[in-house]
Amino acid sequence: MKKIEAVVLPSKEKDIVDALQKTGIGGLTITTGKGRGKGVRHVKPGLGRYIERYNDVLTFFIVVDDSKVDEVVSIITDASHTGSLGDGKIFISTIDEIVDITTKQKGVAYI
């Protein structure tokens, strides 16, 4: 099992959720936050460069079977890509176990 954490622009929430639902990926958690990359954003021509202190971001947390990782990453990148600096990042990590709090059962069936 893998956990996919995607930090994206808030304006892309609906696009990402709709695209995930179309392929049957439904279980996810979304949190709001602030973040900052290391790049420089150009505000307007002629006004120079401006490094924003923090930007509003959403983080999607999705746990999927290993076989679905590439599909989910592709869905998120396609739905959130603008081609501009600050589109976001995706982090993928391994999940050792899942415990469903309601049933107290463990295992992949509870993704």
Side-chain angles (χ1 to χ4, degrees), residues 15 24 26 32 37 46-47 50 57-58 60 68 73 92 95 97 102:
D15 296 338
T32 59
L47 296 180
Y50 172 71
V57 297
L58 295 179
F60 282 73
K68 294 194 178 256
V73 168
I92 302 166
I95 298 295
E97 187 68 82
T102 303

Side-chain angles (χ1 to χ4, degrees), residues 34-71:
K34 299 221 177 254
R36 179 182 60 155
K38 59 182 178 178
V40 177
R41 298 182 91 168
H42 294 276
V43 180
K44 290 188 179 179
L47 296 180
R49 300 181 321 170
Y50 172 71
I51 300 175
E52 295 201 31
R53 186 162 174 88
Y54 297 103
N55 301 311
D56 291 330
V57 297
L58 295 179
T59 302
F60 282 73
F61 296 91
I62 306 166
V63 177
V64 297
D65 186 70
D66 290 7
S67 65
K68 294 194 178 256
V69 171
D70 290 339
E71 177 185 12

Side-chain angles (χ1 to χ4, degrees), residues 4-8 16 58-62 76 89-91:
I4 299 169
E5 297 176 65
V7 181
V8 299
I16 295 168
L58 295 179
T59 302
F60 282 73
F61 296 91
I62 306 166
I76 294 169
K89 297 279 188 278
I90 298 175
F91 305 94

